[in-house]
Amino acid sequence: MSALTDLLSVDGIRLDVEAEDWRSAVRASGQVLVDEGISTAEYTEAMVRNVEENGPYIVIAPGFALAHTRPFEAVLKTGMSWVRLASPVAFGHETNDPVHLVVALAAVDSAAHTAALAALAKVLADGDSVRALQQATSPEEVLRVLEGEPTGADGRGGSPAAPAKDAAPALSEQKILTVCGNGVGTSLFLKNTLEQVLDRWGWSRQVSVEATDTISAKGKASEAVAILTSQEIARTLGDVGIPVKVVRDFSSTTEVDAVLRDTYDV
C-alpha cells in the first residue's frame, strides 16, 4: 500500500462514468464518497458550491480536477474517490479544459491527506503513469499504477537543470505560499510540486513552502516572498503586497521550475 492507495480503495474507483456537465461530474465523484461512507451528500453539494463561488480553480492540470471543499461535519473520515469520465466535460478553465478525470477528496483536517496528495502529484507529473491511467480497463489496474513508482519523466516538458548553488537566497530561510480557496486540497498539491523542484535545486533549507487559503494568505503575505496559485485565486487575492505568480498546471515540475526561476531571477 502507498499513502495514496491508503485513502483510495478499489470500490472508490469508477471508470467511464457518464456526466453531462461539470456539476454532474463533481456530483458523481461525491456520490462515490457517499457510497464508501467517507462523507454525506451535504459534502458533495458543498464541493459544487465551492466551484460556483471560487471558479474552476480545482482544475489543476490538463484534464484533471481535484474536487474538494473545507473540512466540516459532513466528512465522516478522510478518503478519496476516482472518477474517469466517459466523455470529457468543460469546467470553464482557460487552459486545462476539458476534464476527463475527477478525483474527490474529503478530509477531516488539513494534515491527514498530505502524503496522499504528494504521491498523487508525482504520479500525475509522470507521462508514462498518466497514459497508463488513461488506458486502464479496471479499478484494480488503476490501483496498480498508483502503487507503482513513477519513472521520473515529467510528462509536460522534462526536468530543467538546477540553478547554480550561488543563486540560492542569501537569507537563512524564506517562505513561499501556495494558495487555494480552502487550503486543504489544491494548495497542498501545488506545495508538493514546488517542494519537488526546491529539493532538486538544493534550496529546501533556504525556502519553505506553506499551503493556505485565500483569507489566511492575505494575513500571511508579509511573511512570504511570493504566492503561487491559480488564475482564479490570483484574481480573488488581488494586491497583497508581494508577487502573485500564476501556475496553470499544478502537476508540472517544469512549469513550477520556470515560475520559481522568474521569482528569483535565476
Side-chain angles (χ1 to χ4, degrees):
M1 298 288 284
S2 68
L4 179 54
T5 55
D6 280 345
L7 300 183
L8 181 65
S9 69
V10 168
D11 291 336
I13 299 171
R14 308 288 168 84
L15 304 180
D16 302 325
V17 174
E18 296 288 346
E20 61 182 16
D21 55 24
W22 72 262
R23 287 181 176 83
S24 59
V26 171
R27 288 186 174 118
S29 68
Q31 185 59 50
V32 180
L33 296 178
V34 174
D35 293 345
E36 291 300 292
I38 294 169
S39 62
T40 70
E42 185 180 2
Y43 185 79
T44 300
E45 293 310 307
M47 291 196 297
V48 173
R49 287 196 301 274
N50 183 37
V51 179
E52 291 173 341
E53 294 170 1
N54 296 299
Y57 78 92
I58 67 168
V59 186
I60 59 177
F64 171 60
L66 180 60
H68 67 289
T69 191
R70 293 180 184 276
F72 69 108
E73 61 273 10
V75 178
L76 307 177
K77 63 181 180 180
T78 298
M80 303 174 75
S81 69
W82 182 282
V83 172
R84 192 180 71 191
L85 302 176
S87 299
V89 299
F91 274 63
H93 195 279
E94 293 180 3
T95 58
N96 292 336
D97 268 348
V99 169
H100 58 80
L101 173 63
V102 182
V103 173
L105 168 69
V108 296
D109 56 42
S110 59
H113 57 290
T114 302
L117 286 182
L120 182 59
K122 290 178 181 178
V123 169
L124 294 180
D126 182 75
D128 291 340
S129 296
V130 170
R131 282 186 288 275
L133 291 168
Q134 291 171 339
Q135 297 167 6
T137 58
S138 69
E140 290 81 5
E141 189 174 347
V142 170
L143 274 188
R144 285 196 292 271
V145 175
L146 295 178
E147 288 176 338
E149 288 294 324
T151 64
D154 187 330
R156 293 158 183 86
S159 298
K165 290 184 178 180
D166 59 8
L171 298 178
S172 58
E173 183 175 319
Q174 296 182 356
K175 180 187 292 184
I176 294 176
L177 302 178
T178 58
V179 182
C180 71
N182 303 290
V184 297
T186 57
S187 59
L188 277 172
F189 193 101
L190 181 55
K191 174 180 185 288
N192 293 320
T193 304
L194 176 55
E195 287 177 338
Q196 289 181 57
V197 176
L198 290 170
D199 285 345
R200 190 173 69 227
W201 284 20
W203 283 26
S204 295
R205 292 186 178 181
Q206 292 94 340
V207 182
S208 63
V209 186
E210 180 178 351
T212 189
D213 60 88
T214 51
I215 296 174
S216 300
K218 294 179 180 180
K220 294 180 178 182
S222 61
E223 306 169 6
V225 296
I227 286 173
L228 270 60
T229 189
S230 66
Q231 183 69 63
E232 294 80 10
I233 298 300
R235 294 191 189 107
T236 298
L237 288 172
D239 185 0
V240 292
I242 61 173
V244 178
K245 305 286 186 174
V246 171
V247 178
R248 289 176 170 79
D249 183 351
F250 283 21
S251 70
S252 174
T253 54
T254 300
E255 182 178 352
V256 171
D257 183 289
V259 171
L260 196 61
R261 288 175 188 274
D262 181 66
T263 301
Y264 284 98
D265 193 24
V266 296

